Amino acid sequence: MTEKSLKNDEIDLIELITILWKKKLWIMLSSFIFTAIAGVYAFTAKEQWTSSAEVIAPRTMDLGDYFSVRKEYSRILGSEFDAGATASNLFSQFNLLSESLDERRKFFVQSDFYKKKVEGKSETEKAQILSELISKHITIKKPDSKKEPDLIGNKISFYAETPADAQNVLSQFISTINQSAYQIELDNFLLYFNELVTDLNYEKTKFERDLSIHKSVQLENLENALRIAKEAGITEYAKSLGITNGQSTMQQALTMSEAKIPLSDSKLSDSTYLFMLGEKYLKAQIDVLKDSSIVYPPRYYQVSSLLSELEPLLIKAKQAKANAFSYQASPDYPVVKDKPKKGLILVIGFIVGLILSILIILLGSFIRTIQDKY
């Protein structure tokens, strides 16, 4: 580059600085105006504060009364209870519901926070606010060792216009999802529990019904046989087997053979031949049968014992409480707002005003120079 060209560049630069210096008031005024505009925005824009919480799978102690109910249920039935699997199922249900837009909608529609925000709004505005709350205000981040190596559980965040609202709404949301997740788990357990109790009650009732019917039929047969025995004059079983002169040898043999075989295998076990037992024996059997209680099989007492333990436990299960998650970090109270960053906005406003005014002045000077040449 020649000495002349260097000299011309120096002259041009000095000329530009001179032009800008002459317009310094306009530059300062422009910067002030843009800074003021930025300040108006910074001090009137809605603030955004974010509260965050980190949740992990529930520990055994978080299962509360539900743990003892499930443990006792398994003990009664002679099975094993896997507390780890139950905790994992609860946390999976919690995560599923927390990401459900329907569950979020259900929560916000019933919340005081939403009701306050939509006061005096049109239906369209209400729908828009609800949509933003559901899809934008709540975020969930899953552990990522690359981006956030310190994150162990799921990070749930919610932002609002005040730090108190951000913390309170997030706490309420997590609590609501927790209750819903546990209720689903409890309802599934109670479904099988109720079914088991119903089946056992039916089995017990069937035992009672069938054996009661059997006793009634047996009693009716004995009473009919007693009436026949009275009519036939058969007083005692031994006398009815006595040998008379009119009996043939074959009849005597048949009668004696019936006396030698067990009663259950004899014709006398048939209601048709019961009268042959004699009036005295039949009456004694009727009296004993009426006074004695029904003798049930061992299974009946097993079922009764199970019901005596399960039915009180069922009532206890309906009242049990548990958490579907555990806090690694509870919802925090934000101390630094996300936006607006007032200082940064003021600086940006000043710089934009400064640069824009300089460009306008230089552009105007360039246009005038071109006009003077032509």
Side-chain angles (χ1 to χ4, degrees):
M1 185 177 290
T2 63
E3 183 178 348
K4 184 176 181 180
S5 62
L6 287 172
K7 202 167 190 179
N8 288 336
D9 289 342
E10 290 177 2
I11 293 172
D12 291 340
L13 182 60
I14 293 173
E15 184 179 351
L16 289 176
I17 294 174
T18 302
I19 293 172
L20 293 176
W21 179 253
K22 289 180 180 179
K23 299 292 183 178
K24 61 182 180 295
L25 292 177
W26 288 103
I27 294 173
M28 295 302 297
L29 180 61
S30 175
S31 299
F32 174 77
I33 291 174
F34 274 88
T35 303
I37 293 173
V40 171
Y41 170 77
F43 286 94
T44 58
K46 292 182 179 180
E47 295 182 352
Q48 178 176 311
W49 300 80
T50 299
S51 176
S52 299
E54 187 177 348
V55 295
I56 57 177
R59 297 159 295 183
T60 302
M61 61 183 295
D62 295 312
L63 297 180
D65 299 336
Y66 187 62
F67 173 79
S68 60
V69 168
R70 290 296 302 268
K71 191 75 175 176
E72 187 175 351
Y73 177 82
S74 299
R75 190 184 302 117
I76 293 171
L77 298 182
S79 59
E80 292 293 329
F81 170 58
D82 190 343
T86 300
S88 179
N89 290 337
L90 279 167
F91 191 53
S92 295
Q93 192 64 53
F94 175 87
N95 290 333
L96 188 64
L97 292 181
S98 63
E99 295 181 356
S100 169
L101 297 183
D102 288 339
E103 289 297 323
R104 294 183 185 182
R105 181 178 292 104
K106 189 189 303 181
F107 164 75
F108 280 114
V109 166
Q110 298 174 352
S111 68
D112 294 333
F113 177 77
Y114 170 75
K115 292 175 182 177
K116 185 177 179 180
K117 285 183 73 70
V118 298
E119 283 181 357
K121 305 289 185 182
S122 66
E123 292 301 320
T124 302
E125 290 172 324
K126 289 180 181 179
Q128 184 177 359
I129 291 172
L130 183 60
S131 177
E132 290 181 355
L133 287 174
I134 292 170
S135 58
K136 296 180 180 179
H137 285 238
I138 290 182
T139 57
I140 299 176
K141 290 182 180 179
K142 296 182 179 180
D144 189 333
S145 57
K146 294 181 179 179
K147 295 181 179 180
E148 295 182 86
D150 296 331
L151 187 63
I152 299 174
N154 289 350
K155 184 178 181 181
I156 306 176
S157 302
F158 176 79
Y159 71 81
E161 294 175 16
T162 66
D165 281 342
Q167 184 186 43
N168 291 337
V169 174
L170 180 59
S171 297
Q172 293 168 11
F173 174 73
I174 292 175
S175 177
T176 300
I177 294 300
N178 173 58
Q179 293 173 10
S180 298
Y182 170 65
Q183 193 60 49
I184 291 174
E185 165 68 22
L186 181 62
D187 289 343
N188 288 334
F189 173 60
L190 290 178
L191 179 65
Y192 292 103
F193 202 152
N194 278 308
E195 192 67 23
L196 175 62
V197 171
T198 300
D199 289 343
L200 290 173
N201 273 313
Y202 175 78
E203 188 176 358
K204 180 181 178 182
T205 302
K206 190 173 184 300
F207 274 126
E208 294 171 345
R209 183 186 68 239
D210 291 350
L211 292 176
S212 177
I213 292 173
H214 178 74
K215 180 178 179 179
S216 298
V217 171
Q218 186 181 10
L219 189 60
E220 184 177 350
N221 287 336
L222 289 171
E223 288 174 343
N224 288 335
L226 178 59
R227 285 194 293 269
I228 296 172
K230 286 180 179 180
E231 290 291 332
I234 303 174
T235 306
E236 295 185 9
Y237 176 50
K239 290 182 179 180
S240 67
L241 294 177
I243 302 171
T244 62
N245 294 330
Q247 285 182 314
S248 65
T249 304
M250 184 175 293
Q251 288 174 327
Q252 293 173 17
L254 176 61
T255 304
M256 293 303 294
S257 65
E258 287 289 336
K260 292 178 181 178
I261 62 176
L263 182 59
S264 59
D265 298 329
S266 170
K267 291 182 179 180
L268 297 178
S269 63
D270 190 341
S271 59
T272 307
Y273 297 94
L274 279 177
F275 71 93
M276 296 174 64
L277 293 172
E279 182 181 343
K280 185 177 179 180
Y281 182 85
L282 290 169
K283 190 174 186 310
Q285 196 171 14
I286 290 171
D287 291 340
V288 171
L289 189 60
K290 285 182 177 179
D291 294 337
S292 63
S293 57
I294 298 174
V295 179
Y296 295 102
R299 174 59 184 170
Y300 174 83
Y301 297 101
Q302 291 174 354
V303 170
S304 298
S305 178
L306 285 173
L307 286 172
S308 67
E309 295 181 274
L310 289 173
E311 287 178 336
L313 185 62
L314 179 59
I315 297 174
K316 187 178 178 181
K318 293 176 181 178
Q319 301 170 348
K321 300 295 180 183
N323 286 321
F325 75 100
S326 180
Y327 276 125
Q328 182 71 8
S330 58
D332 61 348
Y333 186 90
V335 294
V336 178
K337 63 185 173 185
D338 306 327
K339 61 180 184 181
K341 304 290 186 182
K342 295 179 182 178
L344 180 61
I345 291 174
L346 291 175
V347 171
I348 292 174
F350 176 81
I351 294 174
V352 169
L354 181 66
I355 293 175
L356 188 62
S357 60
I358 290 174
L359 290 175
I360 292 174
I361 291 171
L362 293 178
L363 181 62
S365 175
F366 178 74
I367 293 173
R368 284 194 299 273
T369 302
I370 295 299
Q371 289 175 345
D372 292 341
K373 288 184 179 181
Y374 297 98

